[in-house]
Amino acid sequence: LLVYPKRCASAIEGSVGFKPYGRQLRALEGGASSAVFPDWTADGDGDGEGDDDLPLDECEAACLERGADRSVVHATLPMYRYVGSDRRGENFDDWLHRSCQKVEFGFINYHRPEEQPEVALFWIKDNRDKVPQGRQKWGEKNTNFIKTFLGHKFIIEDVDTGEVLLEHTVEFTGVREVGGCPSVIDQNADKTKQIHDTVVHEWDRHQAVKRTFSELGFGKGRLPDDVFASMGAFNYNNEPYKALEEWGSKGGKVFVNWWEQDVSFIQVPWQLRIVWQTRIKELVEAWAGCDLENTSIYGLR
C-alpha cells in the first residue's frame, strides 16, 4: 500500500504519474492515520484533521510493506516515508520509484549439484525482450544480489541446453534459489569429539575477554516497531523460498546439528541487512555506552 492522510489525497494522487506495481493507493483518516503518521500536524492542532485539501509540501505518505504483521503494519522504516516539508522541490514520482518500488533481489544457483555448472540470468524487458544479466556460478557464496524494481521479470536458463530453470516476477525484497542445495544429513556421523573440542575452544575464548559491560555480559531489550515489522515482513514473504544452508562446505563446524537435521536459511540482501544492523547497533551502543561498528549479519535460519 501507498498510504497518506485523507486531506493529502488530492496532492498525493495527483502527483503519482505511473501505476506502481503491486501497490494500491489508500487515504487514511482517524485512528489509522494517527497510527501511521503520529507526528503529522498539518493544521497545527496535533491531529491533522480538517476539511481543506493540503499542498504536497504539507503532506506525508508511507509505503507499507507486504507481509508485515497486523500489530506493527503501521510502523514502516524511515526510507519508506515521505515528508513533504523535507522534500520541497523533489518530484514525488521520483521518491516513490526510488524508495518504494526499487528493491534488492538475489538468486542462488543450485542447478545440478553433482556438476555445479553456471547458469544464465536474463531480465525480460517489456515482457518480451531477453536482456542478459550475466552468468552465475554455483553455491551460496556466489549469490547474485541485484537492484531491480517491483514487477520486473527474470528467467534463469541452463547455459548448455537453454532450458528455462526459473521464471520469477519480483514482488518484494528477497532471494530465490534455482534447483536445490543437497541435504548433508548423516545419521551415522559421530561428532562427539568435535563438539567437545568446540566447547573447550569457546570457553578458552571467553577467558580472553578484557572488558565487560554488565554482570551477565548481555542485555535484553525491545526492537523498534519499524525494524520488527521489516524483519517480520521479509521472513513472511521469503519463507516459502527458504533454501538449505551449506553446512557441508563450512569445514565440518558443529555450531548447528546439520548432520542430524536439514537447516533452512534465508539470506538477507545487502542493503536491507545494513539497515537492520545499523538500527540494532544503535541499541547496543546505548547499552554499552560506547561507539560500535557494524561487522557482519548473516540471515534468517
Side-chain angles (χ1 to χ4, degrees):
L1 293 175
L2 171 64
V3 299
Y4 35 85
K6 184 178 179 180
R7 292 182 66 196
C8 294
S10 179
I12 297 294
E13 294 167 10
S15 298
V16 178
F18 69 101
K19 185 176 181 179
Y21 179 90
R23 199 173 298 282
Q24 298 179 10
L25 279 61
R26 289 288 185 271
L28 305 181
E29 56 184 327
S33 181
S34 299
V36 179
F37 307 107
D39 301 321
W40 185 65
T41 56
D43 61 357
D45 66 4
D47 62 9
E49 297 295 335
D51 297 325
D52 299 332
D53 291 339
L54 294 172
L56 188 61
D57 62 5
E58 294 183 25
C59 287
E60 294 189 13
C63 293
L64 305 186
E65 289 194 82
R66 165 180 169 176
D69 188 82
R70 179 178 297 180
S71 65
V72 288
V73 69
H74 63 279
T76 189
L77 293 171
M79 61 186 183
Y80 299 138
R81 289 187 173 274
Y82 177 90
V83 180
S85 59
D86 296 337
R87 297 179 179 274
R88 288 186 172 91
E90 181 179 358
N91 184 281
F92 186 82
D93 268 357
D94 290 345
W95 171 83
L96 179 60
H97 197 62
R98 180 185 66 252
S99 298
C100 297
Q101 300 304 109
K102 187 176 183 179
V103 297
E104 190 174 11
F105 204 89
F107 295 98
I108 315 173
N109 172 19
Y110 285 134
H111 181 46
R112 299 207 309 264
E114 66 282 357
E115 301 173 30
Q116 300 188 0
E118 293 183 350
V119 294
L121 176 65
F122 297 90
W123 168 44
I124 306 303
K125 183 180 180 181
D126 299 325
N127 287 318
R128 61 177 186 272
D129 299 326
K130 289 170 55 177
V131 180
Q133 302 294 300
R135 292 189 175 189
Q136 184 170 340
K137 294 182 178 179
W138 198 92
E140 178 186 300
K141 68 179 181 180
N142 294 307
T143 301
N144 181 20
F145 285 108
I146 58 177
K147 299 291 181 60
T148 185
F149 293 90
L150 298 181
H152 278 196
K153 182 178 180 180
F154 294 86
I155 64 171
I156 294 180
E157 295 181 353
D158 185 302
V159 296
D160 296 322
T161 67
E163 176 190 0
V164 175
L165 306 172
L166 177 70
E167 296 185 30
H168 182 77
T169 299
V170 175
E171 297 188 339
F172 43 76
T173 295
V175 61
R176 285 287 306 270
E177 65 174 347
V178 180
C181 181
S183 173
V184 290
I185 289 178
D186 181 2
Q187 298 293 356
N188 296 318
D190 184 0
K191 301 292 183 180
T192 304
K193 184 178 186 306
Q194 287 173 269
I195 293 172
H196 173 269
D197 292 346
T198 299
V199 171
V200 171
H201 175 68
E202 293 300 314
W203 185 258
D204 290 342
R205 287 181 63 205
H206 109 278
Q207 292 180 322
V209 172
K210 301 299 183 183
R211 182 181 178 189
T212 59
F213 297 92
S214 75
E215 292 183 0
L216 291 176
F218 68 90
K220 184 174 71 171
R222 188 178 189 277
L223 285 174
D225 283 350
D226 60 337
V227 177
F228 184 71
S230 176
M231 291 181 172
F234 179 82
N235 181 69
Y236 177 88
N237 293 333
N238 287 278
E239 197 276 339
Y241 306 121
K242 62 189 177 185
L244 293 187
E245 191 175 4
E246 290 182 30
W247 277 98
S249 64
K250 298 178 180 178
K253 294 179 180 179
V254 293
F255 300 110
V256 173
N257 61 331
W258 49 266
W259 62 95
E260 296 177 329
Q261 178 68 48
D262 285 330
V263 183
S264 298
F265 182 68
I266 306 172
Q267 291 191 67
V268 181
W270 288 102
Q271 182 178 357
L272 186 59
R273 72 175 71 178
I274 291 172
V275 171
W276 290 354
Q277 189 176 22
T278 300
R279 293 289 299 280
I280 294 172
K281 177 175 71 74
E282 293 170 356
L283 300 177
V284 181
E285 285 177 333
W287 168 74
C290 64
D291 293 335
L292 302 173
E293 62 181 33
N294 289 336
T295 51
S296 64
I297 183 171
Y298 197 31
L300 305 179
R301 181 174 294 130

